[in-house]
Amino acid sequence: AMLDPDRGLSLTIARVVQRLQGSSLHSQLERQARVSLHKPEIKLESLKEDIKDFLKTSGWEKKLQNAVYSELNVFPSPCHPAAPPEHIKEPLAYMRKAQGSWEKRILKSLNSMCTELSIPLAQKRPVTEQKELLNKWNEMGTDEPDLSLFRPVYAPKDFLEVLMNLRNPNYENGEQPSFRNHLGLIQVPLKVKDIPELKEDFSELGLSIGQLGIDDSAQVPPEFFENEHVRVGQKVLAEQDSAAAQQYVRQGCPTALRADLWALILNISNQPEDILYYEQLKSNVIQHDLLVDSLIYKDVKLTASNDDYYFVFEDYLYQVLLCFSRDTSVLEHFTYSSATPPKSYIQGKLGMEEYAVFYPPNVNYNSFILSVAPLCFLYHEPSKLYQIFREMYVRFFFRLHSISSHPSGIVSLCLLFETLLQTHLPQLFYHLREIGAQPLRISFKWMVRAFSGYLATDQLLLLWDRILGYNSLEILAVLAAAVFAFRAVNLMEVTSLAAAEAVLADLSTLKVMPLLQIFLFATVT
C-alpha cells in the first residue's frame, strides 16, 4: 500500500525520533544542553534559540544529523500504518515462505550435528576453560582442536539451488509475458535495472569523472586528480558530515583516509560505551560455549590459513566472529530483514526465555569470515573493527544470505547479473548455457561473498568504497557481468563448465574500476 508523501515523511520522522530517544546520543545531547545553561551567552528570554545555537557551534548538531542520516540509510522507508509487521520484513509472501523453510533447513542441519556429535547447541564453559580462553584471547589461532567431525552447515551451491527453485505461485507454469524470454537460472519476476538506469544511478563512475582506481584516464591526469581528491577528503573528514562522506567515496577513498571515511559513513565513533559493549560480548564468549564456535573455528582455519592475504588476521577473525555470534543487538535488523533469528536454549533449560540463545541468522560463517577479513586491513582496534563489521553486516551483507525481493538482495543480484549478460552478451550467454555452464553457477560465489577472497585487496576496497557510496549492492552484479564481458573471447572457446570455471578461476589481477566503467559506459545499449 502506497503512502502519500507527507504521511510517509511524518511516519519516518516519528520512527527516527523514537529510535534515537533511547540512544546514548540522546542522553549526551541532554547533558550538553544542561551544561550550556551555565554559559554567559545563553539568555533566559531566548533560551531555546540560544541552546540550539550552542549545539550547532559545538558540533553536536552535526552528530545528530549523522545519526538521523544513518537511521534513514539502514531502515526501509515506512510501510502503510495498517501493514502487518511481516510486510516490513518482506512484502512478497512466497519469498517469506522460502526464507522460512531455508532457515528451518539450516537449524535442522545444526540440530542433527548436535545429536550426531552429542554436544549441545549451547552450554556454560567450566571455569578452568574460561580462564584458558581468556589467557589466549589474542592468539586463538595457535590452537589446533580436532574439528574433522564438524561440517559446514551449507555451501553457496546449496543456497543457489534454493534460489533456482523459487517460483511466484501467481504465475502458473511461466505465464509471465515479459519474463518468458529470461533464460537464466533465476525464475522469479522481479524488476531489475537495465544499463541506462544503472548509468544514471552510477553516474559518478562515468568516463569523464576522476576516479581512484583508474591509472590512465584520458580526461584527468591521475596524479592531479589524486592530490585534489585527498585535499577534498580531508575537508570532508574535518566537517564530520556522513552524507558528504558518502557522496565523496563514490569516486573512491584515498588509502590513508579510508578507515576514517568509512567510519564516518557508518556513523561509528567507538565511544566508551561501545568499547564496554564489546567487552560484554567477549565475556559472554568466555562464559558460554556454542556449537557455532567450533564451526567458526573450522571455517577460519580453512579460509584464513589458505589465504596469503588474510592469514595474518586469524586472531582478529576469531574475536570478531565469536562476539558477533553473541550479539543480540543484531536482532533489531530482523524487523526489516526477511530472516527470523533461530532460537535455541542452553542445555536443560528448554523454553525458559532467560536461557534462550539466539542463533545467528546464517551459519555460513565462511562468507562472514570473508566479509571481516578485508576490514582487518583498515581497523586494528578490536572493538572498532567489530562495530564496523556489525554495521556493514546489518546494512549490506545480511542481504547476501537471505531470500528477499529487495533490489540489493541476493535474488535480485542474481537476476540482474543474468539479465545484463543475456541482454548485452547474448552470444556468450547462449553459448555457456548450451554447454551446461550457466554463468550464474560461476558468479554466484563471487556475489555471495561480495568478491572478498577473489579480488586483490586494494581492488576489493575500491569496490566496497562504491557499495558504501551508493548504499547498494547492485554494483556486485554489474562487476560480475563485467568480468564475463572482459573474458568473453576466451569463454566463447570453452566447451564445459569446468573449462569455463578455469578461465574465471583467478580474478586477483583484475582492476575493478576500468572493468565497471567499460561495461557501463562503453557498452552499446
Side-chain angles (χ1 to χ4, degrees), residues 198-210:
L198 290 166
K199 274 183 180 165
E200 200 172 311
D201 282 359
F202 295 115
S203 60
E204 292 85 352
L205 306 184
L207 298 167
S208 58
I209 293 176

Side-chain angles (χ1 to χ4, degrees), residues 109-183:
S109 169
L110 273 177
N111 284 324
S112 68
M113 202 172 343
C114 291
T115 316
E116 263 169 60
L117 306 176
S118 49
I119 43 174
L121 271 171
Q123 61 186 342
K124 214 166 166 57
R125 294 186 203 272
V127 177
T128 49
E129 201 183 308
Q130 291 187 30
K131 281 195 180 130
E132 225 178 285
L133 184 55
L134 192 55
N135 290 336
K136 60 170 195 209
W137 181 254
N138 289 319
E139 50 233 28
M140 285 188 264
T142 53
D143 247 24
E144 292 288 345
D146 174 24
L147 298 171
S148 51
L149 296 169
F150 290 90
R151 54 174 191 276
V153 181
Y154 71 92
K157 60 173 189 297
D158 303 325
F159 190 35
L160 176 58
E161 287 300 319
V162 173
L163 304 186
M164 283 162 49
N165 289 316
L166 283 174
R167 293 291 179 276
N168 182 340
N170 301 339
Y171 294 110
E172 282 312 308
N173 35 13
E175 284 294 292
Q176 308 112 277
S178 64
F179 199 71
R180 197 176 299 136
N181 55 8
H182 181 75
L183 300 172

